[in-house]
Amino acid sequence: MPKHQLEPKNWVQRYSDYLYNYTVARVNDSEMAKDLVSETFLSALKSMANFKGEASERTWLISILKRKIIDYYRKINSTKGKAEVRINYNDDSDGDWLEERVSDPFDTTAEDSLTNSELGDAIMHCLEKLPEKQAKVFKMKTILGYETDVICNELNITASNLWVIIHRARNAMAKCLEKNWL
Amino acid sequence: MGLFNINCDKASHICDKSQYNEASLLDVLMLKTHLLFCKVCRYHSRKNCLLTKRLKSTDIHILDDTSKAKMEKKLQTELSKQQQ
């Protein structure tokens, strides 16, 4: 008896945000990311028979997505020479090369962006644990940055209702991040 | 001082609002005075600000409802094809 089962009906609702965030952090192109996530769901559907039930639904979807992302990079790199880096600091170039080479303290290093994408994964993980309604309101307010009255109109709730939901969501998020992040 | 005598519920409400820059100047003043006296709210307020900072420091991307609906539709059509 497999431990985990697949419920394709709930995939978009449950995992699309997580998968999308994962993809955008890696391909840096929001339209492409949407396509990749969408493709992932479709190929997951096709290979449902191969799902053994050992991993959770999400882990399984992520593993398919990872392959999709690798394929994507293979495709854009197949034209030779695209990854070539050109440095043209020769004598006749204009521009102050010395100034350009001074280290920039505001430049983000690979490590910074790695930490950030890990924090991003932790946040997404915590968002998934919120009750559906709290997650929806919190995402709209905090991540999509909608105005209070826009959200109230769309979800048909009062402002004070919204703040109560936000308050609960924030508390849960803070607690969850404390446990999973630092 | 009556005006500044707010309870912790009110303080945490203002604290939440100020995370989205929606608290008025008077609100913030009341909150700050409350924080002078109340250790619990000071702690909570610090945590709340930290959460905001963390959320801002990462680029979280989520899908808007229209793209989600599109994906849902695609998936549903494939699903119904498969079931036939």
Side-chain angles (χ1 to χ4, degrees), chain A residues 68-80:
Chain A
K68 290 269 170 215
I69 294 174
I70 293 171
D71 282 349
Y72 163 72
Y73 274 112
R74 282 212 186 111
K75 212 161 60 189
I76 60 170
N77 260 333
S78 62
T79 350
K80 280 256 159 82

Side-chain angles (χ1 to χ4, degrees), chain A:
Chain A
M1 180 73 194
K3 270 186 235 152
H4 299 278
Q5 295 198 325
L6 296 176
E7 296 164 48
K9 268 183 220 149
N10 303 327
W11 282 352
V12 175
Q13 166 77 17
R14 275 193 202 151
Y15 307 112
S16 60
D17 279 336
Y18 183 86
L19 296 179
Y20 178 68
N21 185 53
Y22 184 94
T23 321
V24 168
R26 284 155 183 87
V27 303
N28 236 334
D29 177 343
S30 58
E31 281 308 311
M32 200 62 227
K34 272 179 210 167
D35 289 347
L36 285 173
V37 173
S38 190
E39 273 173 38
T40 304
F41 285 140
L42 296 184
S43 31
L45 203 61
K46 273 186 203 135
S47 49
M48 263 173 78
N50 299 334
F51 182 71
K52 294 191 199 76
E54 281 159 8
S56 73
E57 223 175 3
R58 194 179 72 176
T59 316
W60 186 65
L61 286 171
I62 279 279
S63 70
I64 296 172
L65 177 63
K66 274 182 187 160
R67 245 171 287 156
K68 290 269 170 215
I69 294 174
I70 293 171
D71 282 349
Y72 163 72
Y73 274 112
R74 282 212 186 111
K75 212 161 60 189
I76 60 170
N77 260 333
S78 62
T79 350
K80 280 256 159 82
K82 268 199 175 167
E84 221 169 84
V85 181
R86 285 177 209 285
I87 303 171
N88 41 8
Y89 277 119
N90 38 25
D91 293 332
D92 52 82
S93 75
D94 40 356
D96 195 344
W97 58 272
L98 198 60
E99 193 173 292
E100 280 169 34
R101 284 183 189 193
V102 168
S103 75
D104 180 2
F106 300 106
D107 193 22
T108 47
T109 62
E111 202 172 312
D112 281 341
S113 52
L114 191 69
T115 332
N116 274 352
S117 85
E118 273 172 12
L119 175 59
D121 287 349
I123 291 172
M124 289 310 288
H125 177 73
C126 289
L127 274 175
E128 265 183 25
K129 286 192 175 164
L130 291 181
E132 204 176 299
K133 179 128 192 191
Q134 275 180 33
K136 184 150 182 79
V137 175
F138 184 77
K139 281 176 188 169
M140 284 171 100
K141 183 86 187 135
T142 317
I143 301 169
L144 297 173
Y146 289 168
E147 295 294 326
T148 307
D149 41 335
V150 176
I151 303 173
C152 288
N153 278 337
E154 197 155 310
L155 301 179
N156 216 355
I157 52 177
T158 63
S160 59
N161 210 327
L162 173 132
W163 285 111
V164 170
I165 295 172
I166 288 284
H167 182 71
R168 288 186 188 147
R170 290 192 74 92
N171 279 351
M173 285 298 288
K175 220 179 253 172
C176 175
L177 277 180
E178 211 167 296
K179 221 165 62 188
N180 291 308
W181 181 241
L182 269 180

